Amino acid sequence: QVQLVESGGGLVQAGGSLRLSCAASGRAFSLYSMGWLRQAPGKEREFVAATRRGGTSTYYKDSVKGRFTISRDDVKNTVYLQMNSLKPEDTAVYYCAADLRSPTNWGPSLDYWGQGTQVTVSS
């Protein structure tokens, strides 16, 4: 089984930056597409970003394009989400996810989830 542990969340001023990290267990990390989803209070969970195995293809929610960057390090078994120019609307719990399927085929039920890390952006 794959275990995912997120870190790097916190409180930041609007316009600031945070980098989220997701550490994955096991040695099959490179086989999985990895991504980030978020859920704000009172709202549904939404897709934020993902990357295919190999990291050559990336996908982003339209509202974060140009501000967020997803990357992966298969040596460290870690996926990152660099978040720049943060806005209050980015406030949410951010979840790391892993799935053998391509992000283009992701639905509501993914193979593995982390427990989430809180990101709060103040105005």
Side-chain angles (χ1 to χ4, degrees), residues 75-93:
V75 175
K76 298 181 179 179
N77 284 8
T78 302
V79 62
Y80 304 94
L81 185 67
Q82 178 66 46
M83 304 185 295
N84 299 327
S85 301
L86 282 162
K87 305 175 181 180
E89 66 191 70
D90 296 318
T91 295
V93 177

Side-chain angles (χ1 to χ4, degrees), residues 30-104:
S30 63
L31 300 178
Y32 286 82
S33 293
M34 302 293 300
W36 294 90
L37 299 91
R38 68 188 182 187
Q39 187 168 24
K43 301 187 68 176
E44 296 182 1
R45 187 174 298 182
E46 64 179 2
F47 173 85
V48 177
T51 180
R52 286 273 287 168
R53 59 186 181 185
T56 57
S57 298
T58 56
Y59 310 86
Y60 296 96
K61 174 180 172 65
D62 286 345
S63 64
V64 309
K65 289 180 179 177
R67 299 189 297 120
F68 291 9
T69 302
I70 188 170
S71 61
R72 64 190 298 161
D73 186 334
D74 288 348
V75 175
K76 298 181 179 179
N77 284 8
T78 302
V79 62
Y80 304 94
L81 185 67
Q82 178 66 46
M83 304 185 295
N84 299 327
S85 301
L86 282 162
K87 305 175 181 180
E89 66 191 70
D90 296 318
T91 295
V93 177
Y94 283 71
Y95 297 90
C96 179
D99 201 286
L100 288 173
R101 293 168 291 184
S102 166
T104 59

Side-chain angles (χ1 to χ4, degrees), residues 2-29:
V2 174
Q3 293 180 315
L4 306 174
V5 180
E6 302 100 328
S7 62
L11 175 64
V12 66
Q13 199 82 19
S17 299
L18 286 173
R19 188 181 71 168
L20 306 183
S21 298
C22 174
S25 66
R27 298 189 181 276
F29 174 82

